[in-house]
Amino acid sequence: MRAVITGGAGFLGSHLCDYLIERGWDVLCLDNLLTGAESNVSPLLSHPRFRMARQDVTRFIDVPGPVDYVLHFASPASPVDYLKLPIQTLKVGALGTHNTLGLALAKTAKYLLASTSECYGDPAVSPQAETYWGNVNPIGPRGVYDEAKRFAEALTTAYHRAHGVDTRIVRIFNTYGPRMRLNDGRALPNFVYQALTGEAITVYGDGRQTRSFCYVSDLIEGIYRLMESGEHAPVNIGNPQEITILEFAERVRALVGSDVPIVFKPLPQDDPKQRCPDISKARRILNWEPKVNLEDGLRLTVEFFRKQVAARSG
Ligand code: NAD
Ligand code: UDP
């Protein structure tokens, strides 16, 4: 089996490359390194079944030879990244999705779109099931990401209906783990970095907004089960253990063993007040649920960031 993974040098994409290589697949990673890093896949570069090509997937994609699966993960994903890169984010969600679907159609390959819980926007219902249509401000700052992904879901579904492409859509909820970028601006890298370096932890707003954090190995296992399933409609993959951001900051601080203060900063516009996946569908059709609890996942992630910080200061 041969997979093309766009965004394969990013946080999630690189874990997916590892996972498929371990299972005997051939993997071609396409990435323009906009928010990823070659170091994420450096252990794979000498592997005979792995290849990395620098490619902007918003431009025509030419892949010689057969392809069995196209997995479209390319897109800035951290709010700080996509606020800095609004046009690139819209283009990779729109043109990048079109090109990768075209590749899947030409190769008669299966296709999986990495979508997001941001399709639900600032949700009016909780937990969010796949049947909820969302509450998105299309012209707000987060709209560049949310609407790109909503368009990507619509286009993926259209290719399935009009061209019969064998598609999957995963709605990924907040995921964390090793290989997140220390400076990507997301809550977890910020909090860990701040606690490790003695800076005050910055909680935005009053910290009562909630998120639900899934450890990366659980997410990748859920995605693999979805790849193997015959489900074409979106499926939520995430950890339903919901926590306020203030409590999350306190947990990270305690785990790092730090006593830095927590300071409150303005809440970014349209920041979702609550986010928690309803994973009944994944439980039912994929027989999947997360296994790694927050304590264990955070421990592994803090260990990774500790080494990164030490390497920087050394
Ligand atoms: P990331 O920024 O680490 O990885 C994204 C990768 O895509 C990077 O390597 C980047 O260089 C690449 N990329 C961006 N634009 C590209 C382009 N035009 N051509 C080729 N490569 C390009 O982010 P991530 O957290 O690994 O997210 C991966 C995917 O999962 C994204 O599609 C994101 O929307 C989705 N997702 C992630 C999360 C999460 O919690 N991490 C949650 C929901 C959805
Ligand atoms: N957040 C925070 N302090 C930070 C970074 C983020 O309080 O230094 C908050 C952010 O406002 C949001 C939550 O943490 O409410 C999760 O943010 P993140 O950027 O990780 O991802 P999001 O779930 O918003 O896409």
Side-chain angles (χ1 to χ4, degrees):
M1 294 292 278
R2 182 173 187 229
V4 170
I5 305 182
T6 75
F11 163 47
L12 298 182
S14 64
H15 283 280
L16 189 61
C17 290
D18 285 346
Y19 189 97
L20 293 184
I21 287 287
E22 264 169 42
R23 266 149 199 81
W25 291 55
D26 278 60
V27 173
L28 171 62
C29 159
L30 300 180
D31 202 301
N32 66 353
L33 303 183
L34 184 64
T35 56
E38 204 172 74
S39 58
N40 286 333
V41 288
S42 51
L44 293 177
L45 288 174
S46 57
H47 195 288
R49 281 187 280 103
F50 181 81
R51 207 165 69 77
M52 151 117 196
R54 287 282 280 271
Q55 155 101 48
D56 178 346
V57 298
T58 67
R59 295 171 185 273
F60 180 75
I61 305 170
D62 178 31
V63 176
V67 176
D68 300 292
Y69 228 118
V70 177
L71 299 121
H72 182 36
F73 277 68
S75 170
S78 153
V80 170
D81 285 343
Y82 61 73
L83 296 185
K84 266 193 238 145
L85 302 163
I87 314 283
Q88 289 93 328
T89 303
L90 281 156
K91 283 176 73 176
V92 77
L95 306 178
T97 304
H98 191 212
N99 289 339
T100 50
L101 280 164
L103 177 68
L105 177 61
K107 303 283 183 183
T108 328
K110 293 182 181 177
Y111 184 89
L112 183 139
L113 171 71
S115 185
T116 167
S117 54
E118 279 284 323
C119 286
Y120 303 121
D122 186 7
V125 301
S126 197
Q128 296 85 51
E130 293 85 349
T131 46
Y132 178 53
W133 290 354
N135 176 34
V136 171
N137 173 2
I139 55 161
R142 297 175 84 104
V144 298
Y145 182 67
D146 303 11
E147 295 298 2
K149 291 290 186 177
R150 287 163 68 99
F151 174 83
E153 287 198 4
L155 192 62
T156 301
T157 306
Y159 263 67
H160 172 62
R161 292 193 183 128
H163 292 308
V165 176
D166 194 357
T167 56
R168 316 277 182 278
I169 298 173
V170 55
R171 287 191 183 144
I172 301 170
F173 282 66
N174 294 64
T175 301
Y176 70 101
R179 298 190 195 149
M180 292 183 96
R181 243 173 48 235
L182 203 49
N183 62 349
D184 85 357
R186 287 186 258 202
L188 177 65
N190 274 7
F191 294 170
V192 177
Y193 181 78
Q194 290 159 344
L196 283 174
T197 58
E199 286 176 23
I201 291 184
T202 53
V203 165
Y204 301 156
D206 59 11
R208 281 192 298 174
Q209 69 274 29
T210 68
R211 293 294 185 274
S212 310
F213 294 93
C214 183
Y215 190 66
V216 62
S217 59
D218 280 334
L219 178 91
I220 299 294
E221 176 63 32
I223 287 174
Y224 187 68
R225 289 189 190 203
L226 179 60
M227 285 171 67
E228 301 272 278
S229 81
E231 180 64 24
H232 304 298
V235 179
N236 289 340
I237 298 285
N239 190 319
Q241 193 190 341
E242 192 176 7
I243 184 170
T244 68
I245 288 300
L246 180 56
E247 199 189 335
F248 185 60
E250 287 164 347
R251 294 277 291 271
V252 169
R253 182 173 61 176
L255 222 133
V256 170
S258 154
D259 58 1
V260 293
I262 290 177
V263 295
F264 295 90
K265 299 274 182 188
L267 189 68
Q269 190 191 328
D270 297 338
D271 197 284
K273 284 180 274 309
Q274 53 186 354
R275 186 180 289 152
C276 179
D278 179 335
I279 58 163
S280 325
K281 183 173 178 183
R283 279 199 173 103
R284 192 176 67 250
I285 67 166
L286 308 178
N287 191 25
W288 173 88
E289 63 181 9
K291 293 197 171 66
V292 182
N293 65 34
L294 191 58
E295 191 75 11
D296 293 341
L298 279 181
R299 215 177 289 282
L300 293 165
T301 312
V302 167
E303 217 169 278
F304 167 81
F305 280 127
R306 217 184 269 283
K307 286 189 198 133
Q308 297 256 303
V309 170
R312 276 189 173 194
S313 53

